[in-house]
Amino acid sequence: MAFKILGVGNALPKFMLDNQMLSKMVDTSDDWITSRTGIKTRGILTDEKLLDLSVAAANKALNLANIKADSLDLIICTTLMGDTISPYHAAMVQKSIGANCHAFDMNVGCSGFVYALEVASAYFKSNLANRILIVSAEHMSNFLDYNDRSTCILFGDGAGAVVLEKGENLLSMKLITAGDDSILRVTRHAGNFPYEKFGFNKKEKSTQNVWMDGQQVYMFAVNCLVNSIQDAAKQANININEIDYFLPHQANMRIIEAARIKLGIAKDKILSNIERVGNTTSASIPIMLAEYVSKFKRGMKLLLSTFGGGMSGGSALIKW
Ligand code: UT7
């Protein structure tokens, strides 16, 4: 026994930063960004908080599911960081939507949503919950250096949510962790504890919050998508051609296209919104689920596939 999805929701910032605006901030161009990534615009939080997007996405999912917040048994938020470190994000979502269940955050980089599905599935199997809300919400513009053209063009802010109930619709799951900080890092802000005064000399001085070796991450991403999709299909004992839609993590259109060609998947089975929203890390897949919900018919097979920092990745095959 695992879960079925009862409702989905998403929310994006009011302000969308387009490539033309970015090219006035750093040495780049619409042509470079579009041809190398497929991204045209991305949402940036201005006067809203991440909590506002999270609550909007959660309420949409609850409304679609026709479920009241006080009937939830658990809330899981996936995020690199909410508006504050403490309270953690899920606690503030719980308060804001009027739920009274327990709630916790998970940080698995871009892969958070798919990992949260596995945690939810384990809760259902152990009879610890009947209904779970997952909210994946990311404020990447908080971490980016808008002088660094190799990273600031890629990411956007956003939130996606799903309401799950006990059910039989998880067909298979393949998760990957390959711990490695040499190709992708998001470092923390340095505090101002005076280590040196007390004889310590270990204060890390981070000059850049988001750092990556783009080409290495690109190679990891393509391999991760291909391998985890093949493994998830094999585990469910189905052929990749039997899958109706693929919702891959939206990091770079070229990554998705390279994996699509390797796997021999028809173009119209790949869902994407990267052109408008950029890379919203762990919010990427639930944002797409909500955006494309009208396409999904009961019984269809959907493959949700992710990769990212950690390094991490994985695929979940679900029946709608
Ligand atoms: O969620 C997971 C997180 N990250 C990813 O998935 C990222 C994976 N990697 C990528 O998407 C790609 O590697 C990038 C989009 C980041 C970069 O594309 P690339 O085709 O691998 O470009 P590159 O790093 O090889 O750079 C090619 C050139 C360089 O100039 P030179 O050395 O050839 O003169 C860069 O300095 O493009 C330059 N460049 C830019 N030029 C204009 C790098 N960023 C930009 C930019 N605008 N924004």
Side-chain angles (χ1 to χ4, degrees), residues 171 238 242-245 299-303 317-319:
L171 303 180
I238 66 159
E242 294 172 55
I243 297 168
D244 295 286
Y245 287 114
M300 275 185 169
K301 294 186 185 73
L302 310 184
L303 198 296
L317 182 61
I318 61 169
K319 196 162 74 174

Side-chain angles (χ1 to χ4, degrees), residues 28 32 36-37 110 149 212 214-215 217 249 251-252 254 279:
T28 190
W32 193 95
R36 301 281 179 136
T37 70
C110 298
R149 67 179 183 175
M212 72 181 170
Q215 292 190 2
V217 176
H249 172 48
N252 183 328
R254 282 162 54 221
N279 180 348

